[in-house]
Every structure is written in structure tokens, then in C-alpha cells.
């Protein structure tokens, strides 16, 4: 050992011989190992917390996998907190909390089937576990996939049949998981929660890309500019037809509120927004935005 590694002029062996703490530590390390089986729930608890807290790498796949992982982990924790009676609390459109989770699981299965995820397990297994295992398998396979696969078109969930790249379908999974987690929070007297600002931005962009096809009536050869304020906000100009000309209307609203409008969790007729330009077109766009949810 070189002089730079000596401690007060002592060699390592001399230091250990004169240091009770180091002697005790080495004796502890020399003890035979005794294997202790971890609690059966430890693995899933660690994975759930890691998915929620880990900062994603700046990579194409993780930009869509990490937000979904976070919302799955949040929903997982929320469902684990529910009492048996709370699973039967009423929720509009889906009957009960249980019905809502069954609906979410069915919508998730669109991507799960595309990714080759096997069936969600025996129907006798608890619904929470079946949903979590399916969502976890989707996440695992998407995380291991290539950027090329993210561009392959799949069916989106929702009443209106539509197809979009897997990348967009994963954003929709993030969006719907968050929306339904908020539904459960409302049903169980918990406070609503917004995603991270960067995930709000991603969800808003996803919805705005679908907005032209959601408009009823003939195509209009104009564009619309949407300015969303607050965390996750931004500015987008949306062509309403392939030959769109000038910007006919500018709409501004709060970003998280707009995402809740996209999920049809804010009635279009009472949604707070400001508009400059064509007021009729603004109303049509707001009403169309409210039809883009997955219920």
C-alpha cells in the first residue's frame, strides 16, 4: 500500500489491530450468512415506489413508459388503500369503483393484446391484482421495445374507433389511468391530484392532435391556436383541415382544467376559457374536446 493510503502512519493491518470498531466490523462480516425470506409483498411494494419516484432517462421509449409507470404506481397505491365497502361506492358511467377498474382493465387490454401480454389471470383473483399484473406486463414489454415499435399503429380506446401509433396509445393509457384515479378520489372523498407538468403537457398535446377529427360538420379550411396556461401549458396551432389557411380563433384555458375537459370530467357548457376570433368555432372546439375521453 502506498503512503497515501496509510492512516496516521499505520498500515491497514496495524490500524485494524488497534481499532476496536474495525475489528468488530470485520468479525461481523466474517459471520456465516443466514438467508432470510423477504415478506411476499416486498417486491411489488419496492417496484411500485420505484416506478413512482425514479427520474426517467431521456430516451424515446421512456418518454411514454415513465409517465404510464408513474400513474400505474399511483393507482396501485390508491386501490391498496380502499376498504371492501369503498369498492362498491357509486361512480357515474361505470356503476361502482369496481366497475370502473374493470373498465380500465378492459381498455388497457387493447395495448396488452398488441404487446402479446397473456390474459390477466384467473377471474377468481382479486381485481386489483389482475389489473396491476396486466398493467405491469404492458409496461415491462413497452419499456423493452424499440422506438420503431412505438410508431406502429394500434387501436385507441374509446367510443369512437380510431387508430394511432403505439406511442400515442401509451399516452392515452397514462391519461385514462390518471382520470380514473381522480374518479376514485372523488368517490372516496379524497382530493384530486394532477400529473407532473411535463405529463400534463403531453396529455394536452395528445388530445389536441385528435381534436380536428372530433369536430362535427364539414371541414373548415382554417386553423385554431390553443394557449394553455399554468403547469404543463404551452401553445399549439392546429390545422382543422389539410388545406387550413389563417388562424380563425385563439382559445386560452388552464392546462390541467383542459385535460379534465378532454376526459369529459368538466362539462363543456361550463368550461372556463377565453376566445378571440370566431366564437362559434371556439364553442365547437370546446364541445369536441369533451368527447375525447375513454368512457
Amino acid at each position: 500500500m502506498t503512503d497515501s493510503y496509510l492512516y496516521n502512519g499505520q498500515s491497514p493491518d496495524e490500524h485494524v489491530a488497534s481499532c476496536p470498531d474495525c475489528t468488530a466490523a470485520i468479525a461481523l462480516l466474517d459471520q456465516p450468512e443466514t438467508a432470510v425470506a423477504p415478506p411476499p409483498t416486498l417486491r411489488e411494494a419496492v417496484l411500485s415506489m420505484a416506478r413512482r419516484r425514479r427520474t426517467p432517462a431521456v430516451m424515446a421509449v421512456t418518454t411514454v413508459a415513465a409517465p404510464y409507470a408513474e400513474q400505474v404506481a399511483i393507482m396501485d397505491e390508491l386501490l391498496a388503500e380502499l376498504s371492501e365497502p369503498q369498492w362498491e361506492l357509486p361512480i357515474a358511467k361505470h356503476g361502482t369503483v369496481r366497475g370502473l377498474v374493470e373498465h380500465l382493465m378492459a381498455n388497457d387490454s387493447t395495448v396488452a393484446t398488441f404487446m402479446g401480454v397473456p390474459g390477466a389471470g384467473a377471474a377468481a383473483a382479486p381485481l386489483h391484482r389482475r389489473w396491476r399484473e396486466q398493467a405491469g406486463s404492458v409496461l415491462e414489454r413497452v419499456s423493452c421495445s424499440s422506438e420503431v415499435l412505438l410508431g406502429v399503429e394500434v387501436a385507441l380506446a374509446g367510443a369512437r374507433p380510431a387508430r394511432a401509433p403505439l406511442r400515442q396509445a401509451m399516452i392515452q393509457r397514462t391519461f385514462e389511468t390518471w382520470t380514473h384515479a381522480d374518479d376514485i378520489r372523488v368517490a372516496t372523498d379524497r382530493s384530486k391530484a394532477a400529473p407532473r407538468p411535463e405529463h400534463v403537457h403531453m396529455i394536452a398535446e395528445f388530445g389536441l392532435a385528435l381534436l380536428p377529427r372530433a369536430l362535427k360538420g364539414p371541414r373548415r379550411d382554417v386553423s385554431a391556436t390553443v394557449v394553455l396556461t399554468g403547469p404543463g401549458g404551452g401553445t399549439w396551432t392546429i390545422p382543422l383541415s389539410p388545406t387550413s389557411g389563417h388562424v380563425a380563433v385563439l382559445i386560452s384555458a388552464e392546462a390541467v382544467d383542459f385535460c379534465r375537459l378532454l376526459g369529459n370530467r368538466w362539462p363543456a357548457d361550463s368550461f372556463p376559457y377565453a376566445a378571440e376570433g370566431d366564437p362559434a368555432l371556439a364553442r365547437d372546439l370546446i364541445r369536441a374536446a369533451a368527447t375525447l375521453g375513454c368512457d
Side-chain angles (χ1 to χ4, degrees), residues 15 21 69 73 83 87 92 122 124 132 136-137 153 164 173 189 192 194 196-197 202 221 235 237 242 250 269 278 281:
H15 173 73
D21 290 339
S83 65
W87 278 88
R132 181 182 63 212
S137 295
E153 283 200 345
R173 296 296 84 231
D189 294 324
K192 291 182 179 180
R196 297 177 189 267
M202 180 183 69
D221 293 330
T235 300
T237 296
L250 185 151
D269 291 341
D278 186 339
L281 178 57

Side-chain angles (χ1 to χ4, degrees), residues 230-252:
T235 300
W236 295 263
T237 296
I238 310 156
L240 301 182
S241 81
T243 57
S244 291
H246 71 285
V247 174
V249 66
L250 185 151
I251 297 172
S252 59

Side-chain angles (χ1 to χ4, degrees), residues 65-216:
Y68 180 58
E70 182 162 325
Q71 289 306 317
V72 166
I74 291 170
M75 175 69 93
D76 187 15
E77 291 179 12
L78 178 59
L79 295 180
E81 294 172 359
L82 298 183
S83 65
E84 277 301 316
Q86 285 179 320
W87 278 88
E88 308 308 326
L89 288 173
I91 283 190
K93 300 182 180 180
H94 305 294
T96 62
V97 171
R98 185 179 305 279
L100 181 144
V101 177
E102 289 171 345
H103 157 81
L104 176 60
M105 188 171 169
N107 279 356
D108 289 346
S109 69
T110 302
V111 173
T113 300
F114 173 78
M115 296 302 297
V117 173
L127 176 59
H128 176 193
R129 193 179 84 190
R130 288 188 286 127
W131 165 81
R132 181 182 63 212
E133 289 177 353
Q134 177 179 265
S137 295
V138 168
L139 180 61
E140 181 178 357
R141 297 200 179 195
V142 170
S143 297
C144 295
S145 66
S146 67
E147 187 175 358
V148 173
L149 186 62
L150 292 181
V152 177
E153 283 200 345
V154 299
L156 295 179
R160 297 188 176 197
R163 295 184 66 81
L166 176 61
R167 179 183 295 103
Q168 298 299 95
M170 289 304 300
I171 296 172
Q172 188 189 50
R173 296 296 84 231
T174 301
F175 178 26
E176 185 176 6
T177 305
W178 163 58
T179 298
H180 290 326
D182 255 3
D183 291 339
I184 295 172
R185 292 185 188 105
V186 171
T188 57
D189 294 324
R190 291 169 166 85
S191 299
K192 291 182 179 180
R196 297 177 189 267
E198 59 268 30
H199 300 168
V200 170
H201 186 93
M202 180 183 69
I203 290 168
E205 193 163 67
F206 163 75
L208 288 167
L210 297 176
L211 195 50
R213 75 176 77 174
L215 271 175
K216 294 181 179 179

